[in-house]
Amino acid sequence: KIYQYIRSILAKNKILKIEVIGNDWNIASNSVHFFDLYLFFKNQHNKFVIKKRHLIKVRSKHKNFYEFNGRLVLKSNMDEIILDNTKDIKDIIIQIKTPKLKININETREIVTVIKNKTKIIKKINFLNQSDLTGKIFEDLKVKKKINLPTLKESSYAHELIFMSFKKY
């Protein structure tokens, strides 16, 4: 629900910058979620190019798999997505900026801060575990006959952004 609220207050903003910062949050495994989040907020597919990419391939905790540490910056004509797991902080923070609005989502501490016109609103939130989300999605499908997940088109574009970002490696 918090992301739906954020989407509603972002609806009239043409320019959007999303920056995900933290340390060791597995860019290769988790970037798709942040690309999906961007697409959810914008509800359109902008053409992105790689503005900056400094990634180091490291062994994953899973046998025979790799991860990335570093910084990746994707830029479109209006928007920017920054994925950075080089910050010396333990929390995972999503910063959303527009010319008139700043939103900080601290997923680790479950706090959202919205700053608009010098007014600061702080909300305590509860992120559901995947097991809880799966049950909720199933109930929505059973009762409402619909689910609130990215469409195939949206998901395929998020995966296209991943491929573009990591194909060099």
Side-chain angles (χ1 to χ4, degrees):
K1 290 186 178 185
I2 191 66
Y3 288 121
Q4 292 168 339
Y5 166 73
I6 293 170
R7 182 182 187 181
S8 72
I9 62 175
L10 289 173
K12 295 178 182 169
N13 291 279
K14 302 247 185 264
I15 299 171
L16 184 63
K17 177 180 176 181
I18 294 181
E19 184 170 7
V20 182
I21 60 172
N23 187 304
D24 197 28
W25 54 263
N26 300 326
I27 289 178
S29 298
N30 292 305
S31 60
V32 69
H33 304 297
F34 301 113
F35 294 150
D36 276 338
L37 188 60
Y38 165 81
L39 293 167
F40 176 72
F41 289 150
K42 285 298 278 201
N43 203 24
Q44 65 187 42
H45 296 171
N46 290 331
K47 177 74 173 149
F48 280 91
V49 296
I50 297 170
K51 183 176 171 187
K52 184 186 273 186
R53 176 174 49 199
H54 178 72
L55 297 171
I56 299 165
K57 187 167 76 170
V58 295
R59 289 216 176 265
S60 168
K61 63 182 177 184
H62 304 289
K63 187 178 176 182
N64 299 322
F65 288 89
Y66 291 91
E67 263 304 337
F68 290 113
N69 287 330
R71 183 174 169 87
L72 174 67
V73 180
L74 302 178
K75 180 94 173 117
S76 75
N77 59 344
M78 301 281 276
D79 301 330
E80 192 170 46
I81 301 171
I82 301 167
L83 305 176
D84 188 341
N85 74 349
T86 65
K87 303 293 184 190
D88 195 23
I89 58 174
K90 293 188 188 308
D91 297 351
I92 298 172
I93 299 171
I94 304 167
Q95 297 177 333
I96 303 165
K97 298 175 184 171
T98 74
K100 298 178 181 180
L101 182 66
K102 183 177 178 183
I103 302 167
N104 281 340
I105 304 165
N106 186 320
E107 290 194 339
T108 309
R109 297 180 192 268
E110 297 185 322
I111 297 172
V112 174
T113 306
V114 178
I115 302 168
K116 183 177 182 179
N117 300 330
K118 297 181 183 179
T119 302
K120 188 181 210 179
I121 301 167
I122 299 173
K123 291 182 178 253
K124 180 76 175 139
I125 53 172
N126 291 335
F127 282 105
L128 297 175
N129 293 325
Q130 186 58 51
S131 56
D132 297 324
L133 280 173
T134 302
K136 184 170 177 10
I137 290 167
F138 179 75
E139 282 302 312
D140 284 350
L141 183 60
K142 192 169 121 184
V143 174
K144 299 176 186 174
K145 306 289 188 232
K146 68 177 190 167
I147 55 176
N148 194 15
L149 291 173
T151 65
L152 180 58
K153 184 177 179 181
E154 290 165 342
S155 184
S156 65
Y157 186 67
H159 284 81
E160 185 180 316
L161 290 174
I162 289 173
F163 180 74
M164 175 186 76
S165 301
F166 303 138
K167 72 180 178 181
K168 172 183 172 182
Y169 302 93

